[in-house]
Amino acid sequence: MAEGQIRQSLSGFYDVMTDKGQLVRTRARGNFRSRKITPLVGDRVVIDAPNDHEGYILEVKPRHNSLVRPPVANVDQAIVATAVREPVFSTNLLDRQLLALEIADIEPVIYLTKTDLLTAAEQTEFDQLAADYRKIGYEVVYTPVPFSDEAIATVKQLLANKVSVIMGQTGAGKSTLLNHVAPDLELATGEISQALNRGKHTTRRVQLLSVADGLIADTPGFSSYDAFDLTEKELGQYFREFRRAAVDCRFRGCVHVNEPGCAVKAQVEDGTILQSRYDNYLLLYQALKNQKPNYKK
């Protein structure tokens, strides 16, 4: 028996890189399906490989986290490719992406793309936006030239010794970014095929690629997130600056909407917390409040 990490899955096969540096093609044990266990790329597993190149997964170790799109486990960080133009930049979408990652306990990195399409005045605006999100506590990669040597060097440093995903809207430049970080990958750029639209079921290979001394998986494009699995009362704890300010709210359990003595609202008024972040919070809060409760346990 040996332990290792699943690096690729395709059609029921799982390629496992053992701790001794050996790549073994495996299948899951027959009783995994009845036990509702689905191995994911990124999982730490125990395998039985008598002939050193093929075998079976005996055990899936506990996960730190997992994603649905793509189905990857134990992710350290996500690079959120965010276009400032084409498609139109949206703080609401960006904040929803950050929220999803905060819930999954995955560290976000914001990478602003297509910055060469901005006017000088718009460059100044996005320079301020980058500074504002850094103040919240997020790593932001922003340069007037979107894939500058400086920007790519920063990304390579961030990727080292971590399991990462790149995510963002279709057309935001995910594949282009990967091509700049690792030109030898030669990933296809352009619009995602209609065959991969949501609702279509296709066989898709999921893999972790060795890039810049780390491992990275790409994701399909998306324009929005499905409903979040949390209540409106829990929402504030996933906004970093709200969580910091909330310790000074007058009432325990303050949701930062109508309560008096709310430290979050006070910081919005004095400009410490971005108005756009608070507006997006209110939209999410109302959406969560209105969604039907899920009684399945």
Side-chain angles (χ1 to χ4, degrees):
M1 291 191 295
E3 290 193 21
Q5 178 190 50
I6 298 177
R7 294 289 180 87
Q8 176 176 273
S9 69
L10 177 64
S11 302
F13 289 95
Y14 303 92
D15 291 346
V16 176
M17 180 65 71
T18 70
D19 293 344
K20 293 183 178 180
Q22 196 165 28
L23 193 63
V24 181
R25 174 148 292 186
T26 67
R27 280 188 170 278
R29 289 183 64 177
N31 64 357
F32 274 26
R33 179 172 296 182
S34 63
R35 294 162 59 194
K36 297 182 178 180
I37 298 174
T38 302
L40 296 178
V41 168
D43 272 331
R44 292 283 306 173
V45 294
V46 177
I47 65 171
D48 181 20
N51 58 13
D52 294 333
H53 64 271
E54 61 182 9
Y56 287 89
I57 297 176
L58 304 180
E59 178 187 354
V60 176
K61 296 288 188 177
R63 294 168 183 151
H64 173 64
N65 56 35
S66 64
L67 291 174
V68 175
R69 291 182 293 167
V72 178
N74 301 316
V75 178
D76 297 311
Q77 67 182 0
I79 298 176
V80 185
T82 306
V84 298
R85 285 262 190 94
E86 300 177 9
V88 177
F89 175 77
S90 166
T91 61
N92 182 271
L93 176 60
L94 176 59
D95 287 340
R96 288 174 67 88
Q97 292 168 335
L98 296 176
L99 173 61
L101 294 172
E102 294 280 8
I103 292 170
D105 196 20
I106 296 172
E107 183 64 23
V109 174
I110 302 168
Y111 190 107
L112 296 176
T113 66
K114 303 189 178 181
T115 53
D116 54 326
L117 300 180
L118 298 174
T119 65
E122 290 169 335
Q123 288 277 8
T124 300
E125 292 177 8
F126 275 93
D127 190 54
Q128 182 59 55
L129 181 135
D132 289 335
Y133 275 83
R134 290 187 188 110
K135 184 179 177 182
I136 293 170
Y138 294 115
E139 182 80 36
V140 182
V141 182
Y142 168 75
T143 56
V145 178
F147 303 109
S148 66
D149 292 343
E150 175 189 354
I152 298 306
T154 298
V155 172
K156 287 181 177 180
Q157 291 175 357
L158 291 168
L159 293 177
N161 303 312
K162 293 178 181 176
V163 174
S164 306
V165 296
I166 291 185
M167 57 199 300
Q169 281 180 288
T170 300
K174 300 184 301 298
S175 294
T176 304
L177 173 57
L178 265 179
N179 283 337
H180 279 83
V181 174
D184 55 314
L185 293 179
E186 297 181 352
L187 296 179
T189 59
E191 301 231 349
I192 288 181
S193 166
Q194 292 296 318
L196 295 181
N197 282 345
R198 183 183 297 183
K200 302 286 186 181
H201 298 281
T202 60
T203 299
R204 184 172 186 268
R205 174 164 51 191
V206 180
Q207 61 181 329
L208 291 176
L209 306 169
S210 294
V211 175
D213 297 320
L215 296 171
I216 191 163
D218 194 15
T219 73
F222 59 85
S223 58
S224 63
Y225 274 98
D226 299 327
F228 294 105
D229 187 19
L230 77 164
T231 69
E232 71 275 11
K233 294 181 180 179
E234 298 170 316
L235 179 61
Q237 65 183 290
Y238 295 108
F239 280 65
R240 295 183 178 186
E241 68 275 44
F242 288 30
R243 189 168 64 242
R244 292 192 294 264
V247 297
D248 294 322
C249 288
R250 182 186 303 175
F251 298 107
R252 176 182 289 184
C254 180
V255 294
H256 324 306
V257 179
N258 296 316
E259 302 90 336
C262 174
V264 169
K265 289 192 294 182
Q267 289 196 13
V268 174
E269 291 173 3
D270 69 19
T272 304
I273 289 177
L274 290 175
Q275 183 68 51
S276 62
R277 287 275 286 177
Y278 185 66
D279 291 344
N280 292 334
Y281 169 83
L282 291 179
L283 290 172
L284 287 162
Y285 176 89
Q286 197 59 49
L288 290 171
K289 189 175 181 180
N290 292 339
Q291 74 180 11
K292 294 180 180 179
N294 184 359
Y295 294 107
K296 293 181 180 180
K297 298 293 184 182

